[in-house]
Amino acid sequence: SLIKSHLKLSGVVCRENGILRVRNPIYREVFNEKWIAQHLPPSWTKKQLARAKRIQFALIALLILVALLTLLVTVLAIKANIQTRIANEQTRLAQDSAKREAEARQEAVLAKNEALRAAQSEAEARHVAEMRRQQAEKAANTATLEGRQAVQAATREKKAHDEAVQSAHREAVARKEANAQFKLAEEALKREEKASALAEDARNEALKQTREADAQRQLAENRANTERLYLEAFDVTRSGHPEKALEKFEKALELYQHSDDPVGKSSLASAHRRIGEIYIQLSTTFGFDEERKEEMRKLALQHFNSARQAYHEANEPLGEALAYELLGGFYASQTTPNPGVPVTKERADDSYIKAAEIYEKYGSYSEAASAYVGAGQIVLNLEDGLKADGYFKKAVETSQLTGDRKLYASTLNSLGEIYYKKYTDVLRLYFHTLSTIFEMPLRKDLSKEQSDKISKVMREAAVYYSEASKVYHDLGDARSEALALRQSAYALYYAGENMNAIAAMQDALTVFRAANITSEIGIALVSLGRLYEEVGDYQKALQAYKDGYPYMLGMDQTGAKQRIEQLSKQVGGLK
């Protein structure tokens, strides 16, 4: 700059290792920082302070924006996970429906073939009966003619006794044969009538089977059309048009209403569930007034209950459990009861537990663990710690039954998070959302009442974090193991167990270093320094800050530098 150039040309300063130094030692001692502060114009100081305040306000606004974006990303991730699980379920339902339609068509073809065979048998029976009837008529005509001839012969040969006797004998024989032929004709007619009756029965049975086949075909067509509407609505949902999807789901719902078979009931339940989820989604978006949003929440509750009932009638316990889980989430999201909707945290607890018990009964242990965690979190917020502990223990037990060690560790870690977040209002800030490690509130900043209130909860959090770190260690997941150990250290610190907190933080630091996770080493070292400060070991705290300083960035590095300077003076004064 021009000023620096003038200073160098005048000989007042000189360059040493890229830094300007005052050339004359006398000037350096006389015109020092104190002299500058005394002779500096007042307006210059005010301008600098105003500028510093503007920068401070800008930084605070930036921190708030980052926190909001983090929350939004978390919510979107949860929704994406739920929609993926529902998409897999609907694909399975569509495949089952197609298979049942093919079986119905095959049965209709078999029924039609059976009807054709019955009609052919009827025609053959009629032909045989007609031939026998003609033979009987011919025999009867012949017998009648012979009888007449016998009468004429008897009249003509009345005088001849022998011929008359013979004629009478022939007449008797002829009559006997005629009677026999008449009996045969009658039997033939009876067989013909019986054959006609059998043929009529066969024709009626064929018509009945044809009507049933037509009904099955119509049912299959309706089901196919409904499934097409359902899949179209699902595609529209994924494309981000919930109101259009809602319209298609409601049309599919109208078709499902007329189905009494288990498959139709299952599809009806899925449609109700989808509609309820869309109403929940719409009730959280902008563009609707509070009255309309409240109406949507009521409709969502109605559809969730209808889905649960339909799943029960279709004998789909896992679907019923999913509906209970959705009801639990709905009740848990309501902070106050709404007019006409009995919403309480206790209802959320009850719904989650029913879902968990069904999941557990049918072997869906991972879903059962998730439901138990949800129930425990609800009752913990109701200050019922004993009941929450029972639910959390059930969550741990069911996650172990899956045989998935990673899920087991994740469940333990989640329980630690729930306990750790329980008193965020007391802690003022949750560590994961801090812009700098130096904003972490120290225990000495808490009142005795606050400290006693969180001690028990933080011990529970520390136990779950510690157990999770052991499982992560067995799985070889070094990063998750170290993060769980670090969180355990924070929880132990707030529980008042400072030395145990330091030991846990040292373990976390060891794992971070062994795995060469440099982005976390600095945070662990500076956190260790903060803990050492709390117990009064300023020498170790200073060393931890110095070791962590090279790993820090931005505001954390500035804070670490300030702490190093302050502690250096403090440690020097103690010596």
Side-chain angles (χ1 to χ4, degrees), residues 235-426:
D235 290 338
V236 174
T237 302
R238 290 190 300 179
S239 65
H241 297 86
E243 292 179 328
K244 292 182 179 179
L246 182 62
E247 181 180 352
K248 289 184 177 292
F249 275 127
E250 288 178 341
K251 288 182 179 178
L253 188 63
E254 292 177 2
L255 295 176
Y256 284 137
Q257 295 284 4
H258 304 291
S259 179
D260 293 328
D261 61 302
V263 176
K265 287 289 185 182
S266 176
S267 301
L268 176 67
S270 297
H272 275 300
R273 176 171 56 81
R274 283 289 187 185
I275 293 173
E277 290 172 346
I278 292 175
Y279 275 127
I280 289 294
Q281 179 184 353
L282 290 174
S283 69
T284 58
T285 58
F286 297 104
F288 297 103
D289 56 27
E290 286 303 319
E291 184 178 354
R292 177 57 178 156
K293 289 182 179 180
E294 182 60 33
E295 181 181 354
M296 289 179 178
R297 285 190 286 268
K298 290 180 181 179
L299 290 172
L301 180 61
Q302 293 174 5
H303 283 287
F304 285 152
N305 279 314
S306 297
R308 180 194 58 75
Q309 181 65 28
Y311 276 129
H312 181 76
E313 293 175 356
N315 195 24
E316 281 201 24
L318 295 181
E320 185 179 1
L322 176 58
Y324 271 123
E325 194 170 3
L326 290 171
L327 284 169
F330 174 84
Y331 288 132
S333 66
Q334 308 302 304
T335 56
T336 57
N338 299 314
V341 182
V343 178
T344 64
K345 296 296 183 182
E346 288 79 2
R347 283 182 177 267
D349 170 21
D350 182 63
S351 298
Y352 273 127
I353 289 303
K354 286 180 179 178
E357 290 173 348
I358 296 174
Y359 280 137
E360 189 174 4
K361 180 179 178 181
Y362 290 91
S364 296
Y365 297 117
S366 59
E367 288 81 1
S370 176
Y372 277 126
V373 169
Q377 190 168 7
I378 290 297
V379 297
L380 186 64
N381 290 333
L382 293 173
E383 304 297 336
D384 192 346
L386 184 62
K387 191 175 182 181
D389 289 340
Y391 289 157
F392 290 149
K393 287 177 181 178
K394 289 289 293 182
V396 172
E397 291 173 3
T398 50
S399 64
Q400 282 182 301
L401 292 175
T402 63
D404 187 345
R405 297 280 289 168
K406 189 172 183 180
L407 174 64
Y408 175 51
S410 177
T411 301
L412 290 169
N413 200 68
S414 296
L415 296 179
E417 292 287 315
I418 289 171
Y419 275 111
Y420 193 84
K421 292 179 180 178
K422 167 63 178 167
Y423 289 105
T424 55
D425 56 332
V426 176

Side-chain angles (χ1 to χ4, degrees), residues 304-555:
F304 285 152
N305 279 314
S306 297
R308 180 194 58 75
Q309 181 65 28
Y311 276 129
H312 181 76
E313 293 175 356
N315 195 24
E316 281 201 24
L318 295 181
E320 185 179 1
L322 176 58
Y324 271 123
E325 194 170 3
L326 290 171
L327 284 169
F330 174 84
Y331 288 132
S333 66
Q334 308 302 304
T335 56
T336 57
N338 299 314
V341 182
V343 178
T344 64
K345 296 296 183 182
E346 288 79 2
R347 283 182 177 267
D349 170 21
D350 182 63
S351 298
Y352 273 127
I353 289 303
K354 286 180 179 178
E357 290 173 348
I358 296 174
Y359 280 137
E360 189 174 4
K361 180 179 178 181
Y362 290 91
S364 296
Y365 297 117
S366 59
E367 288 81 1
S370 176
Y372 277 126
V373 169
Q377 190 168 7
I378 290 297
V379 297
L380 186 64
N381 290 333
L382 293 173
E383 304 297 336
D384 192 346
L386 184 62
K387 191 175 182 181
D389 289 340
Y391 289 157
F392 290 149
K393 287 177 181 178
K394 289 289 293 182
V396 172
E397 291 173 3
T398 50
S399 64
Q400 282 182 301
L401 292 175
T402 63
D404 187 345
R405 297 280 289 168
K406 189 172 183 180
L407 174 64
Y408 175 51
S410 177
T411 301
L412 290 169
N413 200 68
S414 296
L415 296 179
E417 292 287 315
I418 289 171
Y419 275 111
Y420 193 84
K421 292 179 180 178
K422 167 63 178 167
Y423 289 105
T424 55
D425 56 332
V426 176
L427 298 178
R428 299 194 306 277
L429 291 171
Y430 181 52
F431 175 71
H432 286 170
T433 63
L434 300 179
S435 61
T436 170
I437 182 67
F438 294 97
E439 293 182 13
M440 183 180 75
L442 292 174
R443 185 180 174 85
K444 64 185 180 182
D445 297 329
L446 302 175
S447 67
K448 185 179 184 305
E449 181 182 359
Q450 291 173 330
S451 179
D452 293 341
K453 188 177 181 182
I454 68 172
S455 291
K456 181 180 178 180
V457 175
M458 286 303 176
R459 287 192 183 94
E460 294 287 347
V463 169
Y464 282 120
Y465 280 133
S466 178
E467 290 298 319
S469 70
K470 293 175 183 178
V471 181
Y472 283 130
H473 176 77
D474 295 339
L475 294 172
D477 189 345
R479 183 182 183 86
S480 297
E481 176 192 0
L483 290 174
L485 283 169
R486 191 178 71 185
Q487 285 301 111
S488 176
Y490 292 146
L492 287 169
Y493 165 71
Y494 286 119
E497 300 181 13
N498 295 331
M499 300 311 297
N500 289 335
I502 290 174
M505 189 64 74
Q506 288 174 336
D507 290 341
L509 179 59
T510 300
V511 178
F512 280 136
R513 281 176 168 165
N516 195 28
I517 306 176
T518 57
S519 60
E520 301 292 345
I521 293 175
I523 296 176
L525 282 166
V526 174
S527 298
L528 191 60
R530 296 281 277 174
L531 294 173
Y532 276 129
E533 275 194 82
E534 184 72 3
V535 298
D537 195 339
Y538 300 115
Q539 186 67 46
K540 289 184 178 179
L542 177 60
Q543 187 60 48
Y545 284 136
K546 288 181 178 180
D547 292 341
Y549 178 79
Y551 296 96
M552 308 305 292
L553 297 173
M555 297 177 66

Side-chain angles (χ1 to χ4, degrees), residues 556-567:
D556 283 333
Q557 191 174 57
T558 302
K561 183 177 180 181
Q562 292 174 352
R563 296 304 299 158
I564 290 171
E565 292 174 353
Q566 293 172 4
L567 285 177

Side-chain angles (χ1 to χ4, degrees), residues 15 71 123 176:
R15 181 189 297 273
L71 178 62
K176 185 177 180 180

